Amino acid sequence: MTKNEFSSRSSKLVSCFQPRPCPKLLKLILVAIGVVMLTYLKIGVYLHQYHDYLMYEEETMAMEQITSMIAAGNITKTGNISIQNPSSNATIRSPFTAKNGTLKFFIIRVPEATTDLVTDSSKASSYYRKALNEESAEIWLHRGFERLPQRTLDPTKADVFVVAGYLHLFQSLRAPKKRKTNFISQEWQQLIPLYESQISDPTKPHILLIPTWNPQVSRSIGVHGMVKMLKNAKVADLWSVGFERNPKWQHLPPSRIVPIPYVVSLDDDEEAEEERSVVNNTSTILRETSQSRIDHSLFYVGDARKNAQAWAGCYREELVSSIQQQQRQLPTIQPPRYNDTFSGDLWNVQLLGKRDRMEQSVYNMLMKSSDWCLVLCGDTPTSRTLTSSMVFGCLPLRVGSRLRGLCEEPCHPGFGWTVTGKANPHLPFVETIDWKAFPEINEGQLLNSSQQDNFLMRLLQRYDAAEKKRLRGILQQVRRGWIYGWGDPVTSTRFGDASKFIWDSWVVASQKV
């Protein structure tokens, strides 16, 4: 090697370590860092999912063991779990029968996680207005339960204890940076002893009144921590409300989760319309289809839910495409004069991206003027669509059996939810509503149907005006049970009957255990 060649190679090598590194070396370093970080994140996700699985299995086995021991008569529900019955044939007295025939509940809550957070109502109202609708259920439920006649202010007279807390709001105001993590904040951990100090009788049923909607959100706001605290306090008969029977959301077995409606935001104008319909006995739900609803019309607008295919075997795009193919065989009709949102298509079924999202007022109007509303699967078995259809009087047309707790093809178990089985449906208020009266489409049949095989219209035509009026009569009877309230959840004094229906639903469920 000549002196000039050595000098040339040395200068190239040195240039890679000067303040401006060579592009190739920099690219290799960045790629290596990216691979290491991606591997680390994947390992973390897998470990967290496996931990969730172990926790759920442990909790499920424990609760099922307690339930089976109670059913066998080896443990009384009236006292501590350690009390044994001398004979498995002995009659077990139900603890759910108060002396006056009415159950009483006491609300366990701490000011730091409830009333103190709404001292400045503007901040709380602003949060709930911008957050997902379902996060406001925690305050609607607490305020709604406070108004029920079954409430007692004396814990010694309570048959049941209800645990309330505004955990979504608490995290937003006290630990906003923790929302995207799986770990509860130090601020929340300070609430644990405050709640523990109020548990006066762990032998009686306790109901967690804090529903949430996502596994990560559930852990980060502290629902899992709350359940763990109650178990550590020896609460054996533990329940929770939930938008679905999802152990990854509420951290209890499906049989211990009471399904409740999603939250539909209703403003003052809609309340005024409700009051007028009650006074005049002319409910918008019960109006004849010739006056307010288009006969055999079908409505659905939603998001494609790209993850739903991998997580649950839900093919929204294909389902909607199949319906749109059948729709091409239908004639267009003249839009009614009273409905300026109607496009002329008898079926309005479409998927929209976030940028093209429909205005809520238009969505509500289309719900109110449609005969039927599709209820499709998503990442999990439930969605807000069913609640919207019940509130706006649009007859729900369920696609698939997931809401009944089943998982039939093309459904498959996946991430973030659990197949609960026929005994644990996700449909709210099964003790009140005859869900069998409402139609359900075979999901696989809809996916595989052709444009010529317009079985969906044939199904809808089976329901004549009299039958649809009967179904809307069911909707009218239970409608207020799907409404938490009108207006601002922080300051409103206008409540629906959701809290009452949920309480009654729990009473029935508790007596079946």
Side-chain angles (χ1 to χ4, degrees), residues 88-322:
S88 60
N89 296 323
T91 301
I92 301 178
R93 177 183 176 274
S94 171
F96 308 117
T97 304
K99 293 181 179 179
N100 62 353
T102 303
L103 286 172
K104 294 290 184 181
F105 65 82
F106 178 83
I107 299 178
I108 295 177
R109 57 93 181 172
V110 298
E112 290 82 354
T114 51
T115 52
D116 286 359
L117 297 176
V118 296
T119 302
D120 183 353
S121 62
S122 61
K123 289 185 178 180
S125 297
S126 175
Y127 170 75
Y128 285 125
R129 185 169 56 253
K130 297 175 183 178
L132 198 70
N133 286 5
E134 283 61 50
E135 296 193 4
S136 67
E138 60 189 11
I139 187 169
W140 277 123
L141 286 170
H142 178 213
R143 300 184 66 220
F145 267 67
E146 284 183 327
R147 288 159 171 77
L148 293 181
Q150 294 87 352
R151 182 193 181 194
T152 178
L153 299 178
D154 184 353
T156 64
K157 296 181 180 179
D159 304 290
V160 184
F161 291 88
V162 172
V163 184
Y166 311 157
L167 298 191
H168 298 89
L169 178 62
F170 179 88
Q171 186 186 58
S172 174
L173 298 181
R174 300 289 187 264
K177 295 182 180 180
K178 297 291 184 179
R179 185 56 177 268
K180 296 183 179 181
T181 70
N182 288 318
F183 305 100
I184 58 176
S185 63
Q186 294 181 350
E187 292 83 359
W188 185 91
Q189 293 182 25
Q190 296 173 4
L191 298 176
I192 294 178
L194 301 178
Y195 272 101
E196 283 181 325
S197 66
Q198 293 203 35
I199 300 175
S200 58
D201 191 347
T203 67
K204 293 183 178 179
H206 284 60
I207 310 171
L208 188 62
L209 215 60
I210 309 169
T212 190
W213 53 274
N214 174 283
Q216 180 173 303
V217 172
S218 176
R219 281 190 170 273
S220 65
I221 67 172
V223 172
H224 177 265
M226 187 76 78
V227 171
K228 185 176 180 181
M229 177 271 295
L230 291 166
K231 289 182 177 180
N232 289 340
K234 308 302 181 184
V235 175
D237 199 358
L238 182 56
W239 298 75
S240 177
V241 300
F243 300 118
E244 66 183 42
R245 297 181 190 262
N246 193 323
K248 298 183 185 300
W249 295 1
Q250 303 304 141
H251 302 280
L252 286 172
S255 61
R256 291 279 168 167
I257 302 172
V258 178
I260 65 174
Y262 277 66
V263 181
V264 173
S265 296
L266 299 171
D267 57 27
D268 296 338
D269 292 338
E270 286 161 320
E271 186 204 14
E273 181 181 354
E274 169 77 6
E275 290 180 345
R276 285 195 301 270
S277 68
V278 172
V279 172
N280 300 326
N281 196 26
T282 57
S283 170
T284 55
I285 291 179
L286 291 177
R287 289 177 188 166
E288 296 294 335
T289 55
S290 60
Q291 295 178 345
S292 65
R293 298 182 188 275
I294 302 162
D295 202 23
H296 303 315
S297 57
L298 181 65
F299 173 68
Y300 176 81
V301 170
D303 181 83
R305 309 303 293 176
K306 297 292 186 180
N307 292 326
Q309 297 183 19
W311 292 356
C314 175
Y315 298 86
R316 272 195 184 182
E317 289 182 316
E318 287 80 356
L319 289 168
V320 168
S321 175
S322 176

Side-chain angles (χ1 to χ4, degrees), residues 77-89:
K77 290 169 66 177
T78 54
N80 193 293
I81 189 172
S82 63
I83 300 177
Q84 301 290 322
N85 278 337
S87 170
S88 60
N89 296 323

Side-chain angles (χ1 to χ4, degrees), residues 37 71 100 131 166 311 365 383 440 450 488 506:
M37 291 181 66
N100 62 353
Y166 311 157
W311 292 356
M365 176 58 69
S383 70
E440 177 184 290
S450 64
D488 184 352
W506 175 83

